[in-house]
């Protein structure tokens, strides 16, 4: 259905430019948004890099096909298994029954299909198998316990020994660069796509995160509102280690209503575009600058 839309010049137009979510630019921005949220989690929880775990999980043949069909299912099973670890088991002093204390921590997993480079370097044939890259933030278990949970080298007293899901490589995170490394698989131009079906190719780079990952507290919402209302630059970006990052839409929606965001954008975007045109095309006549400005404002 067509809806009349009035732009900055108050003229009706039926064309809207919206993010597609699939091009390189959209994926790059999405990657930056998730890194901003991960950085916020580390600051809020006061985590050092070594308190987070860098993980690579592969899948054994018996569970591979089901995991490839629904990548999040095995992740969900693994997290549930982690929360039932014997370390969290205790005996209720009243009922005398065994229970598990509640364990919550942020995490994200990125799905990747092997591009074949590692197999070629080792002189092997690549089957372009799916695997996971993950970061566990403030995980209450040691790295070798996470490895053993995935590989199945742990005793479950209610069910006995289980065989695990595959192989795991787990180690403490060296720096925040490891988070960027994992998130890059969301945008990686993977050569494996040419060997995959369309359905599998769409799963390549899929992100699976814990509930409420990077959610702002009420105090932080007030602080972010102050930050974003300072000036035009702070409305669109913030800094992490002196590098500019665009502010996630998830945070803007938490801090401002849709109407507030629209009013703010309508007041800032025209002037920002005009300043950019004058700066980049300062040698051109004003009429040409105005034409470029109109093209950017109403593409």
């Amino acid at each position: 259905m067509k809806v009349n839309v009035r732009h900055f010049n108050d003229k009706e137009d039926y064309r809207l430019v919206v993010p597609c979510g699939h091009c390189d630019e959209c994926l790059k921005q999405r990657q930056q948004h998730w890194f901003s949220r991960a950085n916020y989690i580390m600051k809020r929880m006061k985590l050092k890099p070594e308190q987070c775990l860098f993980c690579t999980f592969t899948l054994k043949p018996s569970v591979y096909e089901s995991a490839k069909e629904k990548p999040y299912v095995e992740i969900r099973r693994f997290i549930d298994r982690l929360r039932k670890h014997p370390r969290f088991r205790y005996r209720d002093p009243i009922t005398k029954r065994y229970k598990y204390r509640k364990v919550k921590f942020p995490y994200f997993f990125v799905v990747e299909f092997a591009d074949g480079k590692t197999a070629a370097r080792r002189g092997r044939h690549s089957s372009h198998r799916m695997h996971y890259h993950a970061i566990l933030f403030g995980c209450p278990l040691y790295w070798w316990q996470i490895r053993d949970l995935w590989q199945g080298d742990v005793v479950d007293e209610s069910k006995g020994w289980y065989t695990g899901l595959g192989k795991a490589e787990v180690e403490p995170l060296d720096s925040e660069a490891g988070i960027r490394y994992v998130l890059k698989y969301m945008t990686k131009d993977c050569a494996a796509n040419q060997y995959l079906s369309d359905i599998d190719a769409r799963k390549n780079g899929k992100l699976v995160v814990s509930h409420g990952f990077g959610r702002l507290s009420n105090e932080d919402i007030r602080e972010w509102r102050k930050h974003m209302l300072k000036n035009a630059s702070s409305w669109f970006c913030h800094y992490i280690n002196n590098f500019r990052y665009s502010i996630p839409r998830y945070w803007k929606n938490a801090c401002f209503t849709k109407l507030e965001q629209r009013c703010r954008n309508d007041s800032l975007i025209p002037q920002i575009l005009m300043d950019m045109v004058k700066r980049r095309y300062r040698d051109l006549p004003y009429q040409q600058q105005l034409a470029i400005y109109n093209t950017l404002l109403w593409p």
Side-chain angles (χ1 to χ4, degrees):
M1 181 178 68
K2 291 185 177 180
V3 179
N4 291 342
V5 178
R6 295 186 179 275
H7 280 264
F8 303 109
N9 63 349
D10 206 31
K11 293 182 179 180
E12 292 186 355
D13 195 339
Y14 298 105
R15 295 178 301 169
L16 288 175
V17 179
V18 296
C20 67
H22 301 287
C23 66
D24 291 341
E25 184 176 351
C26 287
L27 291 176
K28 182 75 172 179
Q29 187 178 46
R30 185 166 176 254
Q31 175 188 350
Q32 291 187 354
H33 286 179
W34 282 107
F35 178 75
S36 295
R37 290 160 74 166
N39 177 266
Y40 166 74
I41 283 176
M42 294 189 68
K43 289 182 178 178
R44 185 187 65 188
M45 298 177 66
K46 299 179 180 179
L47 294 175
K48 298 178 181 178
E50 57 268 21
Q51 293 175 288
C52 305
L53 297 180
F54 178 92
C55 312
T56 301
F57 298 123
T58 59
L59 296 158
K60 63 181 182 180
S62 60
V63 300
Y64 180 76
E65 291 300 328
S66 61
K68 190 173 70 168
E69 182 178 356
K70 296 180 179 179
Y72 62 89
V73 171
E74 298 303 333
I75 296 173
R76 180 73 266 166
R77 289 174 179 169
F78 169 69
I79 297 298
D80 290 342
R81 186 178 294 167
L82 186 154
R83 289 171 176 160
K84 297 294 183 181
H85 192 276
R87 183 176 179 181
F88 308 129
R89 192 182 182 191
Y90 72 98
R91 193 165 188 173
D92 190 284
I94 299 176
T95 63
K96 306 301 180 181
R97 294 181 177 179
Y98 285 102
K99 294 183 178 180
Y100 292 92
R101 94 180 141 85
K102 293 184 178 180
V103 175
K104 292 184 179 180
F105 61 93
Y107 61 84
F108 67 76
F109 287 70
V110 181
V111 177
E112 190 208 3
F113 285 82
D115 56 12
K117 293 181 179 178
T118 303
R121 187 168 61 249
R122 295 175 179 176
R124 301 175 182 174
H125 172 72
S126 174
S127 56
H128 307 288
R129 292 176 64 83
M130 187 187 80
H131 56 280
Y132 304 104
H133 297 276
I135 300 290
L136 311 182
F137 297 85
C139 181
L141 296 179
Y142 295 110
W143 66 267
W144 61 84
Q145 293 173 317
I146 296 296
R147 179 199 61 193
D148 294 344
L149 270 172
W150 186 271
Q151 296 184 161
D153 302 332
V154 177
V155 175
D156 185 338
E157 295 183 3
S158 62
K159 299 180 181 178
W161 287 87
Y162 60 84
T163 57
L165 300 171
K167 292 185 178 181
E169 295 180 8
V170 185
E171 60 183 355
L173 194 65
D174 290 333
S175 67
E176 289 189 25
I179 299 175
R180 292 193 187 93
Y181 176 83
V182 173
L183 288 174
K184 80 171 185 179
Y185 288 104
M186 296 170 57
T187 59
K188 183 179 178 182
D189 184 15
C190 187
N193 282 359
Q194 60 183 311
Y195 304 104
L196 304 175
S197 66
D198 292 339
I199 296 176
D200 291 342
R202 287 195 293 269
K203 297 172 185 174
N204 201 12
K206 181 178 178 63
L207 185 69
V208 180
V209 301
S210 56
H211 179 70
F213 187 91
R215 179 184 295 166
L216 296 175
S217 65
N218 292 333
E219 181 180 354
D220 288 327
I221 287 176
R222 291 191 292 269
E223 292 298 323
W224 274 99
R225 280 183 64 94
K226 291 180 182 178
H227 167 77
M228 285 189 275
L229 292 175
K230 282 181 182 178
N231 50 53
S233 177
S234 63
W235 174 252
F236 296 100
C237 73
H238 67 118
Y239 287 85
I240 300 177
N241 300 328
N242 295 326
F243 289 97
R244 285 170 57 102
Y245 287 85
S246 60
I247 296 175
R249 185 189 301 177
Y250 183 60
W251 290 352
K252 283 194 175 182
N253 291 340
C255 297
F256 299 94
T257 65
K258 293 292 185 182
L259 184 58
E260 289 175 328
Q261 293 180 46
R262 183 175 180 180
C263 291
R264 186 69 172 164
N265 288 333
D266 287 356
S267 63
L268 293 178
I269 290 177
Q271 186 60 46
I272 290 174
L273 287 178
M274 194 64 195
D275 293 341
M276 182 186 70
V277 170
K278 288 181 178 180
R279 185 171 60 253
R280 289 188 179 182
Y281 306 98
R282 61 172 64 93
D283 297 332
L284 296 179
Y286 175 75
Q287 292 299 328
Q288 292 187 22
Q289 292 180 355
L290 187 61
I292 295 172
Y293 164 76
N294 289 330
T295 302
L296 292 174
L297 193 59
W298 307 294

